[in-house]
Amino acid sequence: MATHEILGPSDRPPLIRWIPLSFQHVFAMFGATILVPLLTGLSSSTALFTAGTGTLLYILITKAKVPAFLGSSFAFIPALIAIGDQYGVPYAMGGAICAGLFYCVIAFIIKFTGKNWLDKALPPVVIGSVIIVIGLNLAPTAIKEAMYVGSSGAPNDYSLVYLSIAMVTLAVAVIATIFLKGFFNTISILIGLIGGYVFTFIMGQIFPAYHLINFDMVLDARWFALPFLQLNSAGSYVWVAPRFALVPIVTFVIVSLATICEHLGDTLVTSKVVGIDFYKNPGLHRTLIGDGLATAWAAVWGGPPNTTYGENIGVMAITKVYSVWVIGGAAVIAVILSFCQKFGAFIQTIPGPVLGGISMLLYGLIASSGLRTIVESGVDYKDKRNLTISSVIMVIGIGGGILQFHVGKEFVFSLGGVALATVIGIFLNLLIPRSRVE
């Protein structure tokens, strides 16, 4: 749906246009928002609930001046999986809460000192390389989901049927990404999920042995109920209080350095699209606090950390509707959907190979966005300094480097993957002398 009338952030459209305009934003954010919890073992209903309420919180903190929708962040997927497997989901949520509060600390520093120090500590060569690591770190997970029945990736678990489903899903998503225009291009992930789901259903009817979609849980679910929260050992979703430990906190805080820079970029792009400098009004500190508190709020309820969504920026660029009222309407719709238990159960029926096919594209897009950051920033790889920093970050991050040592007799401190690569990248950037040209 496109419109020729430009609506500013404070403009409220009539109800007959308001609702469909808000639904456009729901469609744009839906695929990515539910995919993160599906990949990390969290609840998609909770993700919708925390995305909607987090967006409303963001609107409140930014004085209803910034039209931005907040959904599940892909940058935190490696940390959610690693900490969840090693320590448990409650500790991952505790780390995410601290990451959100860290946003607020950075926001207050930026308010009083500006952001030049952040640009020096985290230049494009560091951020771009870290984002590449985030995407490629997840590549083995996508391949296992796309090709193997079990999560172990053992040769005996290889399935040609799984691979065919993943390839069809990937093909639909790629076609939607490359050839569709306008609004439909912004929902290419959702179109890929739908295409893969329909193909899997048809395959199950033709070959009953490969019937991967089971609607029993949908039939058993109630129409309306409180959003599911975290999966417990009994296989049901309940609320579990977040817990805190040093390693999960440090891991999430370090990863948040990359997402803070992602926030700076999204806010800048939104400013260019809308034609208002949101760095100044309402201020970068407010947008950061809004993003950080939305992330902390999401983790309290067992949802994935939030981030501002480029998909919704794309919708605004197409429609020329920048109304915060429309974004708020989308947030309310997301919350309403989260209370429909049958809807949440239906999302849980999405088969693993469909997720694997989408992930093959999505994780690659994350890595490619890191490359784009480096290219658009004009990073010169003829300079051995930049070449060294990128090389070390990527080898440590993708290779699974771990820093581990004992503190006392019982406690073991361990930092690895994206977090360790980010720390080393920051230190290398600060320690290696710059060339005279720079």
Side-chain angles (χ1 to χ4, degrees):
M1 176 184 289
T3 178
H4 298 292
E5 181 184 355
I6 298 177
L7 295 178
S10 61
D11 295 332
R12 181 172 59 181
L15 191 62
I16 194 171
R17 291 184 57 214
W18 185 357
I19 294 177
L21 286 170
S22 292
F23 263 107
Q24 281 192 134
H25 283 281
V26 174
F27 289 135
M29 68 84 186
F30 186 81
T33 295
I34 67 166
L35 190 56
V36 174
L38 288 174
L39 295 173
T40 55
L42 300 175
S43 165
S44 53
S45 293
T46 304
L48 285 172
F49 174 76
T50 55
T53 53
T55 299
L56 294 174
L57 180 63
Y58 178 90
I59 290 173
L60 176 65
I61 293 172
T62 57
K63 298 181 178 180
K65 293 183 177 181
V66 185
F69 194 96
L70 276 64
S72 307
S73 171
F74 285 91
F76 286 99
I77 289 178
L80 286 169
I81 294 175
I83 298 300
D85 289 344
Q86 186 175 356
Y87 291 86
V89 172
Y91 287 98
M93 295 300 103
I97 290 173
C98 293
L101 297 179
F102 181 69
Y103 271 67
C104 300
V105 173
I106 298 298
F108 282 113
I109 295 175
I110 288 176
K111 175 176 173 58
F112 295 107
T113 66
K115 71 179 189 73
N116 289 338
W117 64 272
L118 189 62
D119 295 333
K120 292 179 180 179
L122 293 165
V125 66
V126 174
I127 290 301
S129 301
V130 169
I131 294 173
I132 292 172
V133 166
I134 289 172
L136 296 185
N137 239 318
L138 295 165
T141 302
I143 296 301
K144 287 178 182 178
E145 287 183 323
M147 298 182 183
Y148 297 95
V149 176
S151 60
S152 63
N156 292 338
D157 290 335
Y158 177 82
S159 171
L160 191 59
V161 173
Y162 271 43
L163 179 61
S164 65
I165 292 171
M167 289 299 101
V168 169
T169 305
L170 176 62
V172 173
V174 168
I175 291 171
T177 301
I178 301 299
F179 296 105
L180 296 185
K181 303 297 181 182
F183 168 69
F184 291 101
N185 182 262
T186 67
I187 61 169
S188 58
I189 297 298
L190 181 60
I191 292 173
L193 282 171
I194 294 172
Y197 193 94
V198 171
F199 178 75
T200 306
F201 181 79
I202 294 173
M203 287 282 288
Q205 302 305 308
I206 299 174
F207 305 104
Y210 296 103
H211 188 74
L212 302 179
I213 300 176
N214 189 340
F215 293 109
D216 288 346
M217 63 187 303
V218 180
L219 297 174
D220 294 338
R222 290 178 292 175
W223 278 105
F224 294 100
L226 291 174
F228 294 144
L229 298 169
Q230 297 178 23
L231 185 64
N232 64 10
S233 58
S236 59
Y237 284 92
V238 297
W239 183 77
V240 179
R243 296 181 180 179
F244 301 90
L246 181 60
V247 172
I249 291 172
V250 171
T251 300
F252 274 86
V253 167
I254 291 173
V255 174
S256 72
L257 291 171
T259 58
I260 285 172
C261 291
E262 179 186 20
H263 173 94
L264 300 180
D266 284 345
T267 304
L268 180 61
V269 171
T270 305
S271 297
K272 291 180 178 179
V273 169
V274 179
I276 299 173
D277 189 353
F278 295 125
Y279 275 19
K280 294 181 179 179
N281 184 22
L284 183 58
H285 64 288
R286 281 190 173 272
T287 64
L288 270 173
I289 291 173
D291 201 342
L293 291 183
T295 288
W297 166 259
V300 167
W301 296 106
N306 283 329
T307 188
T308 48
Y309 260 23
E311 292 91 335
N312 297 87
I313 299 173
V315 172
M316 289 191 293
I318 294 166
T319 62
K320 308 298 181 186
V321 174
Y322 314 127
S323 172
V324 174
W325 291 91
V326 170
I327 296 293
V332 171
I333 293 171
V335 174
I336 293 173
L337 288 175
S338 74
F339 281 88
C340 180
Q341 196 177 83
K342 283 189 179 293
F343 183 74
F346 178 76
I347 294 173
Q348 298 295 325
T349 65
I350 299 176
V354 173
L355 297 177
I358 283 293
S359 298
M360 291 170 70
L361 172 64
L362 198 60
Y363 297 159
L365 287 174
I366 295 172
S368 298
S369 69
L371 287 173
R372 187 179 67 182
T373 298
I374 291 172
V375 171
E376 292 181 349
S377 301
V379 176
D380 183 11
Y381 276 110
K382 292 180 181 179
D383 187 338
K384 292 182 179 179
R385 180 181 185 276
N386 293 330
L387 193 63
T388 300
I389 292 172
S390 277
S391 300
V392 174
I393 289 174
M394 285 191 279
V395 169
I396 291 175
I398 299 172
I402 297 176
L403 173 65
Q404 184 172 290
F405 55 87
H406 291 266
V407 180
K409 294 183 178 180
E410 298 182 359
F411 183 75
V412 178
F413 180 85
S414 179
L415 194 66
V418 176
L420 180 62
T422 304
V423 170
I424 291 180
I426 292 172
F427 274 105
L428 287 176
N429 175 66
L430 296 175
L431 294 176
I432 298 177
R434 299 178 182 272
S435 66
R436 291 184 178 181
V437 174
E438 287 183 294

